[in-house]
Amino acid sequence: MSNNKKVLIVGGVAGGASAAARLRRLDENAEIILFERGEYISFANCGLPYHIGEVIQERDALLLQTPEGIASKFNMDVRVFNEVIEINRKEQKVLVKDLKNHQVYEEPYDYLILSPGSTPIKPPIPGINEAKNLFTLWTIPDTDRIKSFVDDKKPKSAVVIGGGFIGIEMAENLAHRGIKVSLVEMADQVMGPIDYEMAAILHNHMKDKGVDLILKDGVKSFEKEGKEIVLQSGKKINTDLIIFSIGVRPQNELAKNAELKIGKGGGVQVNEYLQTSDPHIYAVGDVIEVTDFITGNPTMIPLAGPANKQGRIAANNILGKKEKYIGTMGSSVAKVFDMTVASTGNNEKSLKKLGIDYEIIHIHPGSHAGYYPGAFPISMKLLFDRKTGKIFGAQAVGNEGVEKRIDVIATAIRAELKAYDLKDLELTYAPPYSSAKDPVNMLGFVADNMVNDFVETFQWYEINDLLDNDALVVDLREEIERDLGNIEKSIHIPLGELRHRLNEVPKEKIVYVYCQVGIRGYLAARILMQAGYKVKNLDGGYKTYEAVYRPDTPSDCVIKIDDDGIARKDCPK
């Protein structure tokens, strides 16, 4: 198949190591050389925070393949501490520096795969280079440095700068080590892939877990060798440890210097076969600009799952298989203390930016049947096109069963199912695991109702403007629920009394109804619409609204919602 092709791979970990293994499996005669400028070619970078937190006890558990192991298993030349410093495209050679003996040598290739990954962003903030207690986390040596600092210095306080995946995971794991944690995020929310009202659930949970969450504020300077942080607001924080985690950038210098085409976001441009602008050079992983599977637009999505798949596909194509990489959806999941957050596809922020029309669904079903002990709500959000039914994206936050629902929706998106098709999916059910109507089915039912004009909804962020304009807002919940918190200026008509109190509801006004999670609001909308009223139901109910405008509730109390959507406060005695 190959005529003894010589393939050089720059960088290991997800993309490069996957490409190398696939090449060997397909072609026993290919010459494969894997270059890695560090010591480790295949490690579990997603597990690094958990080793620092001592959830993963053994450091060796993070090392997926040793250089010796992969060289032996796959019969390839693995060269650690060897950095590729230049590509000569005309002569199809690379210039390599052996970092141990400082020698520079050339290596010719038939094909080259670039998988250098990305690197943490570290802007020139005053004092950043003098801060002796400041660390970034991206590699095994980074992990060793942070863990040694925590073990030896025993810091009492830490500031995590950045509320993305690594920032939040580090906040949790440092708290797990008994350290008082503050998290500083310049945006108004943590976890950029989800929307604000969904992130607000995480904000509340993190605060309940003792994290000092500082949003809409950035770092102005580091003072006293990192012992003091001055924020843009003027606020000062004293700290023993700083984790700097504001994002990553692609390591594109090698590609840039070789005059390969680079996208606006800094990623190396590749075609559908993962070839760069040079047909003999492929690129995979965090360094490349990918196609958004849903919108078709170029984007940057640095995730391990897509990188692994890209490595495999690049290897296939080098050996003549001609397989297309059809885009990335950005499916992701993270643990946030006792909660899980997962998402796939586009969020509302990105759809607005692109000028795409969309509909929104919020639901809060139980993780499993309410009559089986231990059920907790999963807050879910679906975005879709009302005209075509196309699913744009989904988000979920909850205690259990979160990621499997997002995985189902990610599969539905890939299969090009419509939002209302979700109601027809036959998913597994037993009381400890789900309900007869799975949360994913529920999203489909709501989408079907909206498309068929059985209900019209309004959003949590419209409420303040509605109240300012004297809109008629009706609370359909029971008195005990209303006492737990309600929307200001709303009138109270429990659903069970609505049919007998229609004379209290003026027909000349739009009636805005709400309940706890939207179920009773839908029932009320059907009653009112068939009685000649113009009515809108609060999407996601009071629970979605409350996540953003949470009234003070003791942190040891839990609001539990039964299968009928009725809320009850459960507090320890």
Side-chain angles (χ1 to χ4, degrees):
M1 183 194 285
S2 67
N3 295 323
N4 296 346
K5 289 184 174 69
K6 182 174 182 179
V7 184
L8 307 185
I9 302 172
V10 181
V13 195
S18 293
R22 181 64 172 173
L23 283 166
R24 178 55 73 225
R25 287 196 297 270
L26 294 184
D27 190 344
E28 187 61 23
N29 298 312
E31 184 181 355
I32 306 166
I33 305 176
L34 178 63
F35 298 98
E36 172 57 56
R37 67 183 176 189
E39 182 180 355
Y40 305 97
I41 59 160
S42 184
F43 62 90
N45 48 2
C46 296
L48 302 182
Y50 299 99
H51 178 55
I52 295 167
E54 295 188 335
V55 176
I56 298 173
Q57 293 280 339
E58 297 299 324
R59 179 181 181 275
D60 286 352
L62 301 171
L63 306 178
L64 305 179
Q65 296 273 5
T66 64
E68 298 79 18
I70 200 169
S72 172
K73 184 189 270 187
F74 295 103
N75 186 29
M76 65 180 67
D77 186 352
V78 178
R79 302 180 189 176
V80 293
F81 298 115
N82 275 249
E83 181 178 7
V84 176
I85 56 175
E86 188 180 310
I87 301 170
N88 184 333
R89 290 170 51 192
K90 187 176 180 182
E91 297 182 21
Q92 288 187 209
K93 293 178 181 177
V94 296
L95 198 62
V96 187
K97 183 176 183 180
D98 186 323
L99 300 177
K100 282 200 165 181
N101 60 29
H102 306 291
Q103 291 182 344
V104 175
Y105 62 95
E106 289 183 336
E107 195 69 56
Y109 64 84
D110 295 317
Y111 290 97
L112 178 64
I113 300 177
L114 300 180
S115 180
S118 53
T119 190
I121 295 169
K122 203 172 174 184
I125 297 170
I128 194 168
N129 294 323
E130 289 72 45
K132 295 178 181 179
N133 58 345
L134 185 148
F135 302 88
T136 58
L137 177 63
W138 204 239
T139 65
I140 293 284
D142 293 338
T143 308
D144 293 339
R145 283 189 287 269
I146 297 170
K147 191 167 189 308
S148 293
F149 186 93
V150 173
D151 292 345
D152 299 340
K153 304 290 185 182
K154 294 183 171 42
K156 289 184 169 55
S157 62
V159 175
V160 176
I161 299 166
F165 289 93
I166 292 175
I168 284 185
E169 288 166 355
M170 279 305 304
E172 176 184 347
N173 280 281
L174 291 173
H176 188 258
R177 295 289 304 267
I179 299 169
K180 173 62 180 172
V181 178
S182 299
L183 190 147
V184 177
E185 169 56 56
M186 188 178 289
D188 62 356
Q189 66 166 88
V190 300
M191 279 293 171
I194 65 174
D195 289 311
Y196 179 78
E197 76 279 15
M198 303 297 286
I201 302 169
L202 299 177
H203 298 165
N204 295 332
H205 183 60
M206 292 172 72
K207 289 173 186 174
D208 288 345
K209 289 294 181 178
V211 175
D212 180 19
L213 191 59
I214 303 168
L215 300 173
K216 295 192 285 188
D217 208 350
V219 177
K220 183 178 182 181
S221 66
F222 297 98
E223 307 292 340
K224 302 175 184 176
E225 296 185 332
K227 290 288 186 180
E228 182 181 89
I229 301 172
V230 180
L231 302 183
Q232 297 289 347
S233 63
K235 180 183 175 74
K236 294 180 180 179
I237 309 173
N238 294 316
T239 185
D240 301 324
L241 169 64
I242 302 167
I243 303 295
F244 199 84
S245 181
I246 64 169
V248 297
R249 62 170 183 82
Q251 294 198 48
N252 60 11
E253 295 82 5
L254 197 59
K256 250 186 193 175
N257 293 337
E259 297 184 345
L260 297 174
K261 287 186 179 176
I262 306 292
K264 288 182 180 177
V268 178
Q269 288 187 341
V270 293
N271 64 14
E272 57 195 350
Y273 300 107
L274 299 172
Q275 284 173 304
T276 67
S277 48
D278 184 323
H280 291 275
I281 303 176
Y282 290 72
V284 299
D286 291 5
V287 78
I288 68 170
E289 180 182 83
V290 295
T291 298
D292 183 317
F293 178 81
I294 293 162
T295 66
N297 293 328
T299 186
M300 299 293 296
I301 304 179
L303 292 171
N308 274 289
K309 296 175 185 69
Q310 292 156 12
R312 177 188 174 96
I313 290 171
N316 287 345
N317 291 330
I318 284 172
L319 297 178
K321 195 172 183 285
K322 281 295 178 187
E323 181 180 353
K324 294 180 181 179
Y325 184 74
I326 57 174
T328 305
M329 292 190 294
S331 302
S332 61
V333 63
K335 181 178 181 294
V336 185
F337 291 91
D338 298 334
M339 301 196 89
T340 299
V341 54
S343 66
T344 188
N346 297 122
N347 57 31
E348 192 174 352
K349 298 187 292 282
S350 61
L351 292 174
K352 275 182 180 173
K353 201 174 291 184
L354 293 168
I356 296 173
D357 290 331
Y358 57 90
E359 292 287 345
I360 312 168
I361 298 171
H362 291 90
I363 62 172
H364 304 277
S367 53
H368 57 251
Y371 59 83
Y372 187 89
F376 283 94
I378 303 175
S379 296
M380 301 183 71
K381 180 176 185 177
L382 187 78
L383 298 157
F384 71 102
D385 187 320
R386 185 187 187 91
K387 294 177 182 175
T388 67
K390 180 178 179 178
I391 302 170
F392 291 132
Q395 304 160 35
V397 179
N399 292 67
E400 63 176 36
V402 171
E403 71 289 345
K404 78 172 183 176
R405 270 66 188 220
I406 292 298
D407 284 343
V408 170
I409 297 170
T411 305
I413 293 173
R414 182 67 67 165
E416 298 184 352
L417 297 184
K418 309 303 183 187
Y420 39 77
D421 290 332
L422 298 177
K423 70 182 179 6
D424 300 320
L425 295 179
E426 187 175 336
L427 304 172
T428 57
Y429 160 60
Y433 304 105
S434 185
S435 299
K437 296 175 183 175
D438 188 85
V440 175
N441 296 138
M442 295 302 300
L443 288 169
F445 291 134
V446 178
D448 186 67
N449 286 335
M450 292 174 71
V451 168
N452 287 293
D453 296 323
F454 291 145
V455 67
E456 193 173 344
T457 61
F458 68 105
Q459 295 301 316
W460 63 272
Y461 48 72
E462 299 178 69
I463 290 173
N464 289 340
D465 284 343
L466 289 171
L467 294 174
D468 288 344
N469 288 287
D470 296 320
L472 175 61
V473 180
V474 179
D475 186 345
L476 300 159
R477 301 172 302 158
E478 300 301 316
E479 189 71 46
I480 190 171
E481 296 176 278
R482 190 169 168 82
D483 289 344
L484 297 177
N486 59 78
I487 295 173
E488 187 183 357
K489 299 180 186 176
S490 61
I491 66 170
H492 185 215
I493 305 178
L495 177 63
E497 301 175 19
L498 181 61
R499 288 184 179 88
H500 309 296
R501 295 174 61 181
L502 289 180
N503 61 315
E504 299 177 32
V505 184
K507 275 193 174 177
E508 66 273 11
K509 298 187 80 170
I510 298 174
V511 184
Y512 295 90
V513 298
Y514 77 93
C515 62
Q516 189 65 22
V517 294
I519 298 171
R520 285 168 286 171
Y522 169 63
L523 297 175
R526 296 306 303 148
I527 293 167
L528 291 165
M529 288 170 72
Q530 291 176 78
Y533 289 83
K534 173 72 172 172
V535 58
K536 293 187 178 184
N537 180 30
L538 177 58
D539 178 43
Y542 183 76
K543 186 170 176 63
T544 298
Y545 175 85
E546 179 192 37
V548 179
Y549 305 105
R550 179 172 76 160
D552 290 332
T553 302
S555 61
D556 54 355
C557 293
V558 176
I559 306 297
K560 291 193 173 181
I561 301 169
D562 65 22
D563 287 345
D564 294 321
I566 295 174
R568 293 177 177 82
K569 185 186 285 187
D570 183 13
C571 298
K573 292 180 180 178

